[in-house]
Amino acid sequence: MITAMFTAAGDFEHDVVDATVIFVDMAGFTAFTEAHGDHRAAQLAETFATLATRALGPGDELIKAIGDAVLTTSENTTAALAFLRRLHDETRGIDGFPLLRAGISAGSVVKRLGDVYGSTVNTAARLVDVAEAGQVVVDGVAASALREADLIASRRLGPLALRNLGSPVEAFALDVGTRHRVHVDPICRMHVATNGSQLATVHQGASYRFCSAACQRRFDQICQSWAPSFSV
C-alpha cells in the first residue's frame, strides 16, 4: 500500500517555515527553442539561472532552476517584488532577452534538503502559467500584503481554477512596469530593442521586428502560406 511509504511527520526531518515563493520563467521559451535549436535554448536557460542568482537579495534563496524557469523564495512579498525588479533590470540590459513572467504565492512551506514543498509552492507554479509575458500574478495573501504596504497597484483576476489544485485561487495581476511587448519577435518571442535590430517587416499595416534573418524569413513564409488573418 502507498501509505507504507510514509512515516509520521515527527520522524521526517524537515522545517516548516513561512515564505514567499516565486516561480519566474521566460515567456515563449518553447518558440525560442523551435526557432533557434536546443543548444542555444540550453545556453539561454543557463544564462537566466546565472542572472537570477545575481539578482538575489538578503534573505532570498534560489531553490533550483527547472528548464526555462527558476524557483526562489523570499522572506516576504516586498522582498520578492524587489527580487523580480532586479531580475527584470538584469535581463532588460541584454538585447533580445525574452520577456519574463512570474507567479507568487505566500504561506507556509515544508523545507527539506534545500528544496521546498507544499501548496504554497504548487500555487506559485500554477500562477506563472496564468501570467502573460511581462506580467506578475500573485495570490490573495501576497496581494494583500503588498496593498497594506502601499507598494503596488493590482488588478483582480478573480478566483481561478488552477490545474491540480483542489480549490480556486484568488489571483491578482500586478502593475510592475515590466511590460515591453511592442517589440517582440513574432516567431521566437524574443524581445527586440527599439534601437537594436533593423530587421523588420510590415504585414497588414503592422510593423514586426525580428531578432534574426531566420525568424524574418520564417515569418514571411507563414504570411505567404496562411490566410490573411495571420496574427501574433
Side-chain angles (χ1 to χ4, degrees), residues 127-179:
L127 288 175
V128 72
D129 292 337
V130 174
E132 298 178 359
Q135 189 178 65
V136 179
V137 176
V138 304
D139 67 4
V141 177
S144 178
L146 291 170
R147 283 196 299 269
E148 288 178 4
D150 197 25
L151 284 175
I152 202 72
S154 63
R155 174 171 56 87
R156 182 174 182 269
L157 301 178
L160 303 181
L162 302 177
R163 182 166 58 92
N164 293 337
L165 297 186
S167 302
V169 174
E170 193 70 25
F172 298 81
L174 302 185
D175 179 8
V176 293
T178 61
R179 297 172 67 83

Side-chain angles (χ1 to χ4, degrees), residues 73-120:
T73 60
S74 294
E75 294 180 340
N76 52 59
T77 51
T78 302
L81 194 59
F83 160 72
L84 287 175
R85 283 175 167 155
R86 289 191 298 271
L87 181 56
H88 168 69
D89 289 342
E90 290 275 2
T91 59
R92 186 173 58 181
I94 302 175
D95 187 27
F97 204 93
L99 295 174
L100 305 183
R101 58 179 190 160
I104 298 178
S105 180
S108 64
V109 301
V110 170
K111 190 169 186 179
R112 172 175 165 81
L113 301 177
D115 210 340
V116 289
Y117 307 88
S119 60
T120 302

